[in-house]
């Protein structure tokens, strides 16, 4: 009997880490496209209507979510490189 050639095992493309990355990047789009949820003036914050401070809050939230997605992506790429046995980091 002949042995099958060694084929490298491929990691799945969709992993829990990548799902979290996608959700982090998708959340700001969904929040901003759902205009009916924030198209109002009340409640005010420091005299600023809700419509404006909600959008400004999402600028900060989007920055944090993008940072989380970037860090997760880096960790995922390092893990894939280590699984391949490469020195890519």
């Amino acid at each position: 009997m002949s042995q099958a050639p060694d084929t490298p095992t491929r990691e799945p493309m969709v992993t829990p880490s990548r799902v979290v990355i996608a959700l982090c990047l998708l959340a700001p789009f969904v929040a901003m496209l759902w205009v009916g949820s924030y198209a109002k003036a009340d409640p005010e914050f420091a005299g600023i209507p809700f419509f404006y401070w909600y959008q400004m809050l999402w600028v900060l939230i989007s920055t944090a979510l993008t940072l989380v997605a970037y860090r997760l992506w880096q960790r995922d790429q390092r893990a894939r490189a280590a699984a391949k046995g490469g020195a890519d980091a």
Side-chain angles (χ1 to χ4, degrees):
M1 283 198 164
S2 65
Q3 280 185 314
D6 286 336
T7 57
T9 58
R10 294 171 54 181
E11 292 189 36
M13 292 302 291
V14 178
T15 61
S17 177
R18 288 184 175 198
V19 170
V20 171
I21 291 169
L23 290 175
C24 284
L25 296 176
L26 189 63
F29 289 105
V30 172
M32 291 293 96
L33 289 175
W34 185 21
V35 178
S37 70
Y38 63 91
K40 53 190 172 187
D42 289 327
E44 289 186 0
F45 176 73
I48 301 170
F50 179 73
F51 180 81
Y52 295 110
W53 68 258
Y54 179 81
Q55 289 183 339
M56 290 298 106
L57 181 63
W58 268 102
V59 170
L60 300 175
I61 293 170
S62 297
T63 302
L65 289 173
T66 303
L67 178 64
V68 168
Y70 176 70
R71 298 290 180 166
L72 286 172
W73 181 256
Q74 283 183 324
R75 189 174 70 171
D76 183 63
Q77 293 304 303
R78 281 194 303 269
R80 286 177 182 269
K84 279 190 209 174
D88 301 358

